[in-house]
Amino acid sequence: MAGLLRGTNAILFVCLGNICRSPMAEGIFRTMAQQNGLGEIHVDSAGTGDWHIGKPPDRRAIAKAAEHGVDISGLRARQLAAGDFDRFDLILTMDSANFDNVTAAAPATRHDRIHRFMQLALDRTEDVPDPYYGGPEGFEQVYRMLTEASAALQARMAG
Ligand code: 4NP
């Protein structure tokens, strides 16, 4: 594991729409990396779907992040692209469906870069649940999971 993380300088977070979970992960991870002095790491996010390309994050995601001092209002959704498998050392998915879709799109030589974020960071099999159709408590739960996972991963990257 230390070997995997030591060489990491570019991380891509992936969810379905790239307007809720993965932009929150991008913003939380980047802000925390700056605070931890890991600021040279390139952080980005993308969706497996194409419905929201060019759109800002969901307003509930923007508000939840802002509540915690993380500004994601300038992010714009994009779809996962073939070049991402070369450009990013780690591709971290929010749930198992994302993981299966990303893996299916990736060349076999890049499969070792793709992980479920909770699994890699916390050794937990749970998904980061899609909050899109639920209430505000879903965004709070996503925020807490992403913060805990980001802190755990960065502690190992720094150590
Ligand atoms: P995300 O949430 O994958 O966390 O960005 C979703 C946003 C939009 C849709 C699904 C999930 N959608 O079906 O439009």
Side-chain angles (χ1 to χ4, degrees), residues 49-96:
D50 64 0
W51 311 283
H52 303 287
I53 292 171
K55 302 262 184 62
D58 186 287
R59 60 186 164 70
R60 296 165 295 175
I62 292 175
K64 180 52 66 181
E67 229 179 87
H68 298 278
V70 176
D71 180 10
I72 61 169
S73 63
L75 302 183
R76 296 294 178 265
R78 73 172 179 89
Q79 192 172 24
L80 183 71
D84 291 331
F85 301 116
D86 296 323
R87 285 169 43 219
F88 293 92
D89 315 298
L90 276 183
I91 300 175
L92 302 179
T93 74
M94 297 296 120
D95 64 32
S96 295

Short mmCIF file of all heavy atoms in Angstrom, two decimals, residues 49-96:
data_model
loop_
_atom_site.label_atom_id
_atom_site.label_comp_id
_atom_site.label_asym_id
_atom_site.label_seq_id
_atom_site.Cartn_x
_atom_site.Cartn_y
_atom_site.Cartn_z
N GLY A 49 -21.46 9.08 -16.46
CA GLY A 49 -22.58 9.49 -17.32
C GLY A 49 -22.32 10.83 -17.98
O GLY A 49 -21.41 11.57 -17.60
N ASP A 50 -23.17 11.16 -18.98
CA ASP A 50 -22.95 12.39 -19.76
C ASP A 50 -24.04 13.43 -19.59
O ASP A 50 -24.02 14.47 -20.23
CB ASP A 50 -22.78 12.04 -21.24
CG ASP A 50 -24.05 11.42 -21.85
OD1 ASP A 50 -25.05 11.26 -21.12
OD2 ASP A 50 -24.02 11.08 -23.05
N TRP A 51 -25.00 13.19 -18.67
CA TRP A 51 -26.18 14.07 -18.58
C TRP A 51 -25.85 15.50 -18.16
O TRP A 51 -26.56 16.42 -18.48
CB TRP A 51 -27.20 13.51 -17.57
CG TRP A 51 -27.51 12.09 -17.76
CD1 TRP A 51 -28.32 11.56 -18.73
CD2 TRP A 51 -27.02 10.99 -16.98
NE1 TRP A 51 -28.34 10.19 -18.58
CE2 TRP A 51 -27.57 9.82 -17.53
CE3 TRP A 51 -26.18 10.89 -15.87
CZ2 TRP A 51 -27.31 8.55 -17.02
CZ3 TRP A 51 -25.90 9.65 -15.36
CH2 TRP A 51 -26.47 8.49 -15.93
N HIS A 52 -24.82 15.68 -17.36
CA HIS A 52 -24.61 16.98 -16.72
C HIS A 52 -23.33 17.68 -17.18
O HIS A 52 -22.86 18.60 -16.52
CB HIS A 52 -24.58 16.80 -15.19
CG HIS A 52 -25.83 16.17 -14.66
ND1 HIS A 52 -27.03 16.85 -14.57
CD2 HIS A 52 -26.09 14.92 -14.23
CE1 HIS A 52 -27.96 16.05 -14.09
NE2 HIS A 52 -27.42 14.87 -13.88
N ILE A 53 -22.78 17.26 -18.31
CA ILE A 53 -21.53 17.84 -18.81
C ILE A 53 -21.65 19.37 -18.88
O ILE A 53 -22.62 19.90 -19.42
CB ILE A 53 -21.18 17.26 -20.21
CG1 ILE A 53 -20.82 15.78 -20.09
CG2 ILE A 53 -20.01 18.03 -20.83
CD1 ILE A 53 -20.67 15.07 -21.44
N GLY A 54 -20.64 20.05 -18.33
CA GLY A 54 -20.60 21.50 -18.37
C GLY A 54 -21.35 22.20 -17.25
O GLY A 54 -21.26 23.43 -17.11
N LYS A 55 -22.08 21.43 -16.44
CA LYS A 55 -22.90 22.03 -15.37
C LYS A 55 -22.08 22.18 -14.08
O LYS A 55 -21.20 21.37 -13.79
CB LYS A 55 -24.10 21.15 -15.07
CG LYS A 55 -25.00 20.90 -16.25
CD LYS A 55 -26.20 21.85 -16.21
CE LYS A 55 -27.18 21.54 -17.34
NZ LYS A 55 -27.73 20.17 -17.22
N PRO A 56 -22.41 23.17 -13.26
CA PRO A 56 -21.80 23.25 -11.93
C PRO A 56 -22.34 22.13 -11.04
O PRO A 56 -23.35 21.50 -11.38
CB PRO A 56 -22.25 24.62 -11.41
CG PRO A 56 -23.46 24.97 -12.19
CD PRO A 56 -23.37 24.26 -13.52
N PRO A 57 -21.70 21.88 -9.91
CA PRO A 57 -22.23 20.88 -8.98
C PRO A 57 -23.65 21.23 -8.55
O PRO A 57 -24.07 22.39 -8.59
CB PRO A 57 -21.26 20.96 -7.79
CG PRO A 57 -20.00 21.50 -8.35
CD PRO A 57 -20.41 22.45 -9.44
N ASP A 58 -24.41 20.22 -8.12
CA ASP A 58 -25.74 20.39 -7.54
C ASP A 58 -25.66 21.44 -6.42
O ASP A 58 -24.71 21.44 -5.63
CB ASP A 58 -26.17 19.02 -6.98
CG ASP A 58 -27.60 19.02 -6.49
OD1 ASP A 58 -27.85 19.62 -5.41
OD2 ASP A 58 -28.45 18.41 -7.15
N ARG A 59 -26.66 22.30 -6.36
CA ARG A 59 -26.60 23.40 -5.37
C ARG A 59 -26.52 22.88 -3.93
O ARG A 59 -25.97 23.52 -3.05
CB ARG A 59 -27.79 24.34 -5.53
CG ARG A 59 -29.12 23.68 -5.35
CD ARG A 59 -30.31 24.57 -5.66
NE ARG A 59 -31.50 23.76 -5.82
CZ ARG A 59 -32.12 23.12 -4.82
NH1 ARG A 59 -31.68 23.25 -3.59
NH2 ARG A 59 -33.17 22.36 -5.05
N ARG A 60 -27.08 21.69 -3.69
CA ARG A 60 -27.01 21.11 -2.34
C ARG A 60 -25.58 20.66 -2.02
O ARG A 60 -25.14 20.74 -0.87
CB ARG A 60 -27.97 19.92 -2.23
CG ARG A 60 -29.44 20.30 -2.40
CD ARG A 60 -30.30 19.08 -2.64
NE ARG A 60 -29.97 18.43 -3.91
CZ ARG A 60 -30.50 17.29 -4.34
NH1 ARG A 60 -31.41 16.67 -3.58
NH2 ARG A 60 -30.15 16.77 -5.51
N ALA A 61 -24.86 20.20 -3.03
CA ALA A 61 -23.45 19.82 -2.83
C ALA A 61 -22.60 21.06 -2.61
O ALA A 61 -21.72 21.07 -1.73
CB ALA A 61 -22.95 19.04 -4.05
N ILE A 62 -22.87 22.12 -3.39
CA ILE A 62 -22.13 23.38 -3.21
C ILE A 62 -22.36 23.91 -1.80
O ILE A 62 -21.42 24.33 -1.11
CB ILE A 62 -22.59 24.42 -4.26
CG1 ILE A 62 -22.16 23.99 -5.67
CG2 ILE A 62 -22.03 25.80 -3.92
CD1 ILE A 62 -22.69 24.91 -6.79
N ALA A 63 -23.62 23.88 -1.34
CA ALA A 63 -23.96 24.43 -0.02
C ALA A 63 -23.33 23.61 1.10
O ALA A 63 -22.79 24.17 2.07
CB ALA A 63 -25.48 24.47 0.15
N LYS A 64 -23.38 22.28 0.97
CA LYS A 64 -22.81 21.43 2.03
C LYS A 64 -21.31 21.65 2.12
O LYS A 64 -20.75 21.76 3.22
CB LYS A 64 -23.13 19.96 1.74
CG LYS A 64 -22.59 18.97 2.75
CD LYS A 64 -22.97 19.31 4.18
CE LYS A 64 -24.45 19.21 4.43
NZ LYS A 64 -24.78 19.56 5.85
N ALA A 65 -20.63 21.72 0.98
CA ALA A 65 -19.18 21.95 1.00
C ALA A 65 -18.88 23.33 1.60
O ALA A 65 -17.97 23.46 2.44
CB ALA A 65 -18.61 21.83 -0.42
N ALA A 66 -19.64 24.33 1.18
CA ALA A 66 -19.40 25.70 1.66
C ALA A 66 -19.56 25.80 3.17
O ALA A 66 -18.84 26.54 3.84
CB ALA A 66 -20.36 26.67 0.96
N GLU A 67 -20.53 25.05 3.71
CA GLU A 67 -20.74 24.99 5.16
C GLU A 67 -19.46 24.63 5.90
O GLU A 67 -19.26 24.99 7.04
CB GLU A 67 -21.75 23.86 5.41
CG GLU A 67 -22.91 24.16 6.29
CD GLU A 67 -23.77 22.90 6.38
OE1 GLU A 67 -23.52 22.04 7.25
OE2 GLU A 67 -24.69 22.77 5.55
N HIS A 68 -18.60 23.86 5.21
CA HIS A 68 -17.36 23.39 5.82
C HIS A 68 -16.13 24.07 5.21
O HIS A 68 -15.02 23.54 5.27
CB HIS A 68 -17.25 21.87 5.66
CG HIS A 68 -18.36 21.13 6.35
ND1 HIS A 68 -18.33 20.83 7.70
CD2 HIS A 68 -19.54 20.66 5.90
CE1 HIS A 68 -19.44 20.19 8.03
NE2 HIS A 68 -20.19 20.07 6.97
N GLY A 69 -16.34 25.23 4.59
CA GLY A 69 -15.21 26.01 4.10
C GLY A 69 -14.59 25.52 2.81
O GLY A 69 -13.45 25.87 2.48
N VAL A 70 -15.32 24.70 2.06
CA VAL A 70 -14.80 24.16 0.80
C VAL A 70 -15.63 24.73 -0.35
O VAL A 70 -16.84 24.55 -0.41
CB VAL A 70 -14.88 22.61 0.80
CG1 VAL A 70 -14.44 22.04 -0.54
CG2 VAL A 70 -14.02 22.04 1.94
N ASP A 71 -14.96 25.44 -1.27
CA ASP A 71 -15.66 26.09 -2.39
C ASP A 71 -15.58 25.22 -3.64
O ASP A 71 -14.50 25.07 -4.22
CB ASP A 71 -15.02 27.46 -2.65
CG ASP A 71 -15.71 28.19 -3.80
OD1 ASP A 71 -16.78 27.73 -4.26
OD2 ASP A 71 -15.17 29.22 -4.24
N ILE A 72 -16.71 24.65 -4.04
CA ILE A 72 -16.72 23.84 -5.27
C ILE A 72 -17.59 24.49 -6.35
O ILE A 72 -17.90 23.86 -7.37
CB ILE A 72 -17.18 22.38 -5.01
CG1 ILE A 72 -18.60 22.33 -4.46
CG2 ILE A 72 -16.21 21.66 -4.09
CD1 ILE A 72 -19.20 20.90 -4.44
N SER A 73 -17.95 25.77 -6.13
CA SER A 73 -18.90 26.41 -7.06
C SER A 73 -18.32 26.61 -8.45
O SER A 73 -19.07 26.73 -9.42
CB SER A 73 -19.34 27.76 -6.48
OG SER A 73 -18.23 28.64 -6.36
N GLY A 74 -17.00 26.63 -8.58
CA GLY A 74 -16.40 26.87 -9.89
C GLY A 74 -16.17 25.60 -10.70
O GLY A 74 -15.74 25.68 -11.86
N LEU A 75 -16.45 24.44 -10.12
CA LEU A 75 -16.21 23.19 -10.84
C LEU A 75 -17.29 22.99 -11.92
O LEU A 75 -18.40 23.47 -11.77
CB LEU A 75 -16.21 22.00 -9.87
CG LEU A 75 -15.18 22.07 -8.73
CD1 LEU A 75 -15.23 20.79 -7.89
CD2 LEU A 75 -13.78 22.30 -9.28
N ARG A 76 -16.95 22.28 -12.97
CA ARG A 76 -17.89 21.97 -14.04
C ARG A 76 -17.81 20.49 -14.38
O ARG A 76 -16.72 19.95 -14.49
CB ARG A 76 -17.60 22.80 -15.30
CG ARG A 76 -17.79 24.31 -15.09
CD ARG A 76 -19.26 24.67 -14.81
NE ARG A 76 -19.45 26.12 -14.57
CZ ARG A 76 -19.48 26.68 -13.36
NH1 ARG A 76 -19.33 25.95 -12.26
NH2 ARG A 76 -19.69 27.98 -13.23
N ALA A 77 -18.97 19.88 -14.56
CA ALA A 77 -19.00 18.43 -14.77
C ALA A 77 -18.39 18.05 -16.12
O ALA A 77 -18.55 18.75 -17.12
CB ALA A 77 -20.44 17.93 -14.69
N ARG A 78 -17.71 16.92 -16.10
CA ARG A 78 -17.21 16.34 -17.34
C ARG A 78 -17.36 14.83 -17.26
O ARG A 78 -17.55 14.26 -16.17
CB ARG A 78 -15.75 16.74 -17.60
CG ARG A 78 -14.73 16.04 -16.68
CD ARG A 78 -13.33 16.39 -17.18
NE ARG A 78 -12.26 15.81 -16.39
CZ ARG A 78 -11.73 14.59 -16.62
NH1 ARG A 78 -12.21 13.81 -17.57
NH2 ARG A 78 -10.74 14.15 -15.88
N GLN A 79 -17.28 14.19 -18.40
CA GLN A 79 -17.39 12.74 -18.44
C GLN A 79 -15.99 12.13 -18.44
O GLN A 79 -15.04 12.70 -18.99
CB GLN A 79 -18.15 12.31 -19.70
CG GLN A 79 -18.55 10.84 -19.69
CD GLN A 79 -19.47 10.49 -20.85
OE1 GLN A 79 -19.47 11.15 -21.88
NE2 GLN A 79 -20.27 9.45 -20.68
N LEU A 80 -15.88 10.98 -17.83
CA LEU A 80 -14.64 10.21 -17.87
C LEU A 80 -14.18 10.06 -19.32
O LEU A 80 -14.99 9.78 -20.20
CB LEU A 80 -14.91 8.83 -17.25
CG LEU A 80 -13.74 7.88 -17.11
CD1 LEU A 80 -12.79 8.36 -16.01
CD2 LEU A 80 -14.25 6.47 -16.80
N ALA A 81 -12.86 10.23 -19.54
CA ALA A 81 -12.32 10.15 -20.91
C ALA A 81 -11.18 9.13 -20.95
O ALA A 81 -10.54 8.85 -19.93
CB ALA A 81 -11.81 11.52 -21.34
N ALA A 82 -10.93 8.61 -22.14
CA ALA A 82 -9.91 7.56 -22.29
C ALA A 82 -8.56 8.01 -21.77
O ALA A 82 -7.82 7.22 -21.16
CB ALA A 82 -9.81 7.14 -23.75
N GLY A 83 -8.21 9.28 -21.98
CA GLY A 83 -6.92 9.79 -21.55
C GLY A 83 -6.73 9.80 -20.04
O GLY A 83 -5.59 9.84 -19.55
N ASP A 84 -7.84 9.74 -19.30
CA ASP A 84 -7.75 9.76 -17.83
C ASP A 84 -6.98 8.56 -17.29
O ASP A 84 -6.34 8.66 -16.24
CB ASP A 84 -9.15 9.78 -17.20
CG ASP A 84 -9.88 11.09 -17.43
OD1 ASP A 84 -9.20 12.13 -17.55
OD2 ASP A 84 -11.12 11.08 -17.50
N PHE A 85 -7.02 7.45 -18.00
CA PHE A 85 -6.34 6.25 -17.50
C PHE A 85 -4.83 6.37 -17.56
O PHE A 85 -4.11 5.64 -16.88
CB PHE A 85 -6.84 5.01 -18.26
CG PHE A 85 -8.32 4.81 -18.13
CD1 PHE A 85 -9.15 4.89 -19.23
CD2 PHE A 85 -8.88 4.57 -16.88
CE1 PHE A 85 -10.53 4.72 -19.10
CE2 PHE A 85 -10.24 4.40 -16.73
CZ PHE A 85 -11.07 4.48 -17.85
N ASP A 86 -4.33 7.29 -18.39
CA ASP A 86 -2.89 7.57 -18.43
C ASP A 86 -2.52 8.73 -17.51
O ASP A 86 -1.45 8.74 -16.92
CB ASP A 86 -2.46 7.92 -19.86
CG ASP A 86 -2.66 6.76 -20.81
OD1 ASP A 86 -2.43 5.61 -20.38
OD2 ASP A 86 -3.05 7.00 -21.97
N ARG A 87 -3.41 9.71 -17.42
CA ARG A 87 -3.07 10.96 -16.71
C ARG A 87 -3.15 10.82 -15.20
O ARG A 87 -2.53 11.60 -14.47
CB ARG A 87 -3.99 12.09 -17.17
CG ARG A 87 -3.63 12.62 -18.55
CD ARG A 87 -4.71 13.54 -19.12
NE ARG A 87 -5.23 14.48 -18.15
CZ ARG A 87 -6.51 14.84 -18.06
NH1 ARG A 87 -7.41 14.29 -18.86
NH2 ARG A 87 -6.91 15.72 -17.18
N PHE A 88 -3.94 9.88 -14.70
CA PHE A 88 -4.14 9.78 -13.25
C PHE A 88 -3.55 8.48 -12.70
O PHE A 88 -3.77 7.41 -13.26
CB PHE A 88 -5.64 9.89 -12.92
CG PHE A 88 -6.18 11.26 -13.23
CD1 PHE A 88 -6.74 11.54 -14.47
CD2 PHE A 88 -6.07 12.29 -12.30
CE1 PHE A 88 -7.21 12.82 -14.78
CE2 PHE A 88 -6.53 13.57 -12.59
CZ PHE A 88 -7.10 13.83 -13.84
N ASP A 89 -2.81 8.60 -11.60
CA ASP A 89 -2.22 7.42 -10.95
C ASP A 89 -3.26 6.64 -10.18
O ASP A 89 -3.14 5.43 -10.01
CB ASP A 89 -1.16 7.82 -9.91
CG ASP A 89 -0.24 8.88 -10.41
OD1 ASP A 89 0.46 8.60 -11.39
OD2 ASP A 89 -0.23 9.97 -9.83
N LEU A 90 -4.24 7.38 -9.63
CA LEU A 90 -5.29 6.74 -8.84
C LEU A 90 -6.63 7.23 -9.35
O LEU A 90 -6.86 8.44 -9.50
CB LEU A 90 -5.18 7.14 -7.36
CG LEU A 90 -4.25 6.38 -6.45
CD1 LEU A 90 -4.41 6.93 -5.02
CD2 LEU A 90 -4.54 4.88 -6.46
N ILE A 91 -7.53 6.29 -9.60
CA ILE A 91 -8.89 6.62 -10.02
C ILE A 91 -9.81 6.02 -8.97
O ILE A 91 -9.88 4.79 -8.82
CB ILE A 91 -9.18 6.09 -11.43
CG1 ILE A 91 -8.18 6.72 -12.42
CG2 ILE A 91 -10.62 6.36 -11.83
CD1 ILE A 91 -8.27 6.20 -13.83
N LEU A 92 -10.44 6.90 -8.18
CA LEU A 92 -11.17 6.46 -6.98
C LEU A 92 -12.66 6.65 -7.18
O LEU A 92 -13.15 7.78 -7.32
CB LEU A 92 -10.68 7.26 -5.77
CG LEU A 92 -9.17 7.12 -5.51
CD1 LEU A 92 -8.77 7.97 -4.29
CD2 LEU A 92 -8.78 5.67 -5.30
N THR A 93 -13.40 5.54 -7.18
CA THR A 93 -14.84 5.60 -7.46
C THR A 93 -15.63 5.68 -6.16
O THR A 93 -15.20 5.23 -5.10
CB THR A 93 -15.30 4.38 -8.27
OG1 THR A 93 -15.32 3.22 -7.43
CG2 THR A 93 -14.38 4.14 -9.46
N MET A 94 -16.83 6.24 -6.28
CA MET A 94 -17.69 6.42 -5.11
C MET A 94 -18.43 5.15 -4.75
O MET A 94 -18.67 4.89 -3.57
CB MET A 94 -18.70 7.55 -5.38
CG MET A 94 -18.07 8.91 -5.58
SD MET A 94 -17.18 9.50 -4.12
CE MET A 94 -15.54 9.66 -4.78
N ASP A 95 -18.83 4.36 -5.76
CA ASP A 95 -19.56 3.13 -5.43
C ASP A 95 -19.16 1.99 -6.36
O ASP A 95 -18.32 2.16 -7.26
CB ASP A 95 -21.08 3.38 -5.43
CG ASP A 95 -21.64 3.77 -6.79
OD1 ASP A 95 -21.11 3.32 -7.82
OD2 ASP A 95 -22.62 4.54 -6.82
N SER A 96 -19.76 0.85 -6.12
CA SER A 96 -19.37 -0.36 -6.85
C SER A 96 -19.82 -0.32 -8.31
O SER A 96 -19.13 -0.86 -9.18
CB SER A 96 -19.97 -1.59 -6.18
OG SER A 96 -19.42 -1.73 -4.90
#
